[in-house]
Amino acid sequence: NKYPQGEILRYFTNSVDFQCVIGKNSHKKRYTIVVRGSESSKDWLYNMFVWKTDITRLFEDTESNKKKYSAIRVHSGFYKMITTDNIHTQIIDFMKDQIKENPDWEIYFSGHSMGSVTSTLLSYLMAKTLSKTKISVVALASPRVGNLAFKNDFESVPNLRLYRICYKRDIVTSFPSFYYYHV
């Protein structure tokens, strides 16, 4: 369970083959969540679920939240990857406990392709929950996540920043294209 300057804390998976590992580095005062990209046939199937779904049910059920978040729509396959078996809630609750122990630590997310897009969605939800914790995402070859309302809301979260790294000729980063936007 040890690696240089850190340790692996927990591995998460669900019934639709989402997988991530959470580690910590005491020297850098940070937690790292690494999400696996497309590997199985299930993953590739969920990549193709390009219709959008709203995310209102992920937030506290108040009238103001219904109004605010009802316009925000994201890729339904990526949404399903992080919400099946409530894996997003399990990960966020686990990180809440970690941050209680180390409130001044930061959280870093990373992943490649589908791992980067699900990292983007998870980091967004986590940043809204852990509003005093700095959260960064290093998204490698990320497809687009959601509509313009998602992009705008993601970019307005003060404790969240994203570094999107891609090769300019990588076609995966240009999909899905119709009314989807990069953050």
Side-chain angles (χ1 to χ4, degrees):
N1 273 354
K2 299 280 182 183
Y3 60 91
Q5 300 182 338
E7 66 181 282
I8 294 172
L9 297 177
R10 181 103 184 257
Y11 172 77
F12 287 90
T13 190
N14 66 10
S15 60
V16 294
D17 206 26
F18 170 87
Q19 298 174 19
C20 77
V21 65
I22 299 175
K24 80 174 188 176
N25 184 320
S26 300
H27 302 293
K28 295 195 179 205
K29 294 186 174 185
R30 104 173 126 202
Y31 295 99
T32 304
I33 302 171
V34 180
V35 183
R36 184 193 52 111
S38 299
E39 178 186 73
S40 69
S41 55
K42 270 187 183 177
D43 295 335
W44 289 104
L45 178 66
Y46 284 104
N47 284 338
M48 300 301 141
F49 292 177
V50 296
W51 58 89
K52 295 181 195 90
T53 187
D54 77 70
I55 62 170
T56 50
R57 60 189 153 275
L58 297 179
F59 297 100
E60 188 178 325
D61 194 17
T62 64
E63 283 306 312
S64 62
N65 277 350
K66 282 181 186 176
K67 186 175 181 180
K68 179 178 180 180
Y69 296 112
S70 64
I72 298 175
R73 300 177 99 43
V74 297
H75 185 287
S76 63
F78 302 143
Y79 173 85
K80 188 164 181 66
M81 290 296 292
I82 68 161
T83 59
T84 297
D85 304 329
N86 284 316
I87 196 80
H88 67 295
T89 304
Q90 294 173 46
I91 294 167
I92 291 170
D93 288 346
F94 180 80
M95 291 312 300
K96 280 181 191 175
D97 291 340
Q98 297 303 310
I99 292 298
K100 281 180 191 170
E101 291 178 27
N102 299 297
D104 61 330
W105 285 28
E106 295 184 25
I107 299 171
Y108 278 75
F109 279 85
S110 188
H112 174 261
S113 193
M114 187 170 79
S116 66
V117 76
T118 50
S119 290
T120 301
L121 279 171
L122 274 170
S123 67
Y124 169 76
L125 297 174
M126 193 174 291
K128 293 208 172 255
T129 304
L130 300 171
S131 60
K132 291 182 170 68
T133 302
K134 291 182 183 176
I135 299 176
S136 300
V137 184
V138 179
L140 306 169
S142 180
R144 295 176 177 145
V145 181
N147 65 1
L148 186 58
F150 174 77
K151 171 190 170 37
N152 292 337
D153 198 54
F154 183 98
E155 292 176 355
S156 74
V157 180
N159 61 321
L160 180 60
R161 65 183 172 184
L162 179 126
Y163 302 98
R164 193 170 63 80
I165 301 167
C166 62
Y167 176 63
K168 67 181 176 181
R169 293 186 181 154
D170 184 353
I171 194 165
V172 169
T173 63
S174 64
F175 288 104
S177 49
F178 296 108
Y179 304 106
Y180 276 89
Y181 296 84
H182 278 300
V183 292

